[in-house]
Amino acid sequence: MKSTAGNLQACISLVIVYLLCLRVATVPICNVVSLVELFEKEMQDVFHEYKVVNGEKRLLHSKFPQLHFNFTPEVQRNRSAICGINYVAYALKEILKYQEVLNYDKKQLIGNLSFASHRAKDHVKPVLQHVFKYHENCIIYPEFPTQKDTYKLKQWGSAALNHSLQFLNQLVTYLKPNCTTMSTT
């Protein structure tokens, strides 16, 4: 989101979806799809802004196994969804830390990274946990370069954001066909 008003509007819509999840035993999966699509759009904006601020970096050939959505079996899919979002939140937090040092004057990027990290950790993950009834902790921390190599940090951040977007796209692909058929009771 590019403006404070847009962030506020998105936050209010998220709170409504989240409160619905807490108050109602069954959550329409279509609401979850909308939430993940909104987060995916925000991540696209963050990635675009990241590239503008840090320059187009050649993506690392690093593997991000936590961001490979597993389509079988169902329990593994649910775990992949929740642990992937957990990984996205942690990666965003790490990117934010070094961007605050490297680009402290780029308030919009820093604000959007902070907002996206908060959205993943405090909104998307709890809603997915509620829907999938999967509450185990996922402690999977991304490996990133040392703070001494600025280029590699920027390159890792670009690759992590790119893989996060691919993961979110896979998650939406998984959720959409279930929009009317997935049982959440």
Side-chain angles (χ1 to χ4, degrees):
M1 300 249 110
K2 300 271 183 203
S3 68
T4 304
N7 284 341
L8 181 61
Q9 181 182 12
C11 189
I12 290 170
S13 65
L14 227 180
V15 168
I16 291 169
V17 170
Y18 183 67
L19 290 174
L20 284 173
C21 290
L22 294 176
R23 293 188 65 207
V24 184
T26 60
V27 179
I29 197 70
C30 298
N31 289 353
V32 178
V33 171
S34 297
L35 174 64
V36 175
E37 286 176 327
L38 173 64
F39 182 56
E40 181 182 21
K41 171 66 175 103
E42 291 167 353
M43 286 292 292
Q44 288 170 353
D45 293 344
V46 167
F47 187 40
H48 173 75
E49 190 171 352
Y50 182 92
K51 290 188 296 186
V52 168
V53 169
N54 291 287
E56 294 280 337
K57 301 294 174 217
R58 189 167 157 244
L59 292 178
L60 288 172
H61 294 289
S62 298
K63 301 293 181 202
F64 290 82
Q66 299 86 347
L67 296 177
H68 290 271
F69 193 77
N70 189 343
F71 284 95
T72 56
E74 185 174 350
V75 172
Q76 187 60 34
R77 282 188 304 236
N78 298 347
R79 183 180 190 288
S80 291
I82 293 162
C83 291
I85 289 294
N86 192 57
Y87 185 91
V88 168
Y90 188 81
L92 284 165
K93 185 177 169 185
E94 292 303 315
I95 293 168
L96 175 62
K97 280 183 193 177
Y98 74 77
Q99 287 297 306
E100 287 176 328
V101 173
L102 297 175
N103 294 306
Y104 60 89
D105 59 334
K106 305 298 184 188
K107 301 296 184 199
Q108 186 170 336
L109 173 62
I110 290 169
N112 288 347
L113 281 165
S114 178
F115 183 80
S117 177
H118 172 73
R119 166 94 64 187
K121 179 180 168 252
D122 297 334
H123 297 269
V124 179
K125 182 182 172 190
V127 169
L128 289 174
Q129 286 177 319
H130 178 78
V131 169
F132 292 140
K133 295 173 180 33
Y134 185 89
H135 298 282
E136 292 180 30
N137 284 331
C138 307
I139 303 175
I140 306 167
Y141 299 108
E143 295 178 21
F144 48 91
T146 64
Q147 299 249 345
K148 295 176 185 174
D149 190 342
T150 302
Y151 181 79
K152 288 222 183 280
L153 279 171
K154 290 179 179 183
Q155 195 178 32
W156 182 87
S158 185
L161 290 171
N162 185 52
H163 285 278
S164 295
L165 283 169
Q166 291 172 11
F167 167 79
L168 290 170
N169 186 271
Q170 290 173 343
L171 182 56
V172 168
T173 299
Y174 165 62
L175 292 171
K176 265 192 176 176
N178 299 313
C179 196
T180 57
T181 61
M182 183 179 269
S183 171
T184 60
T185 56

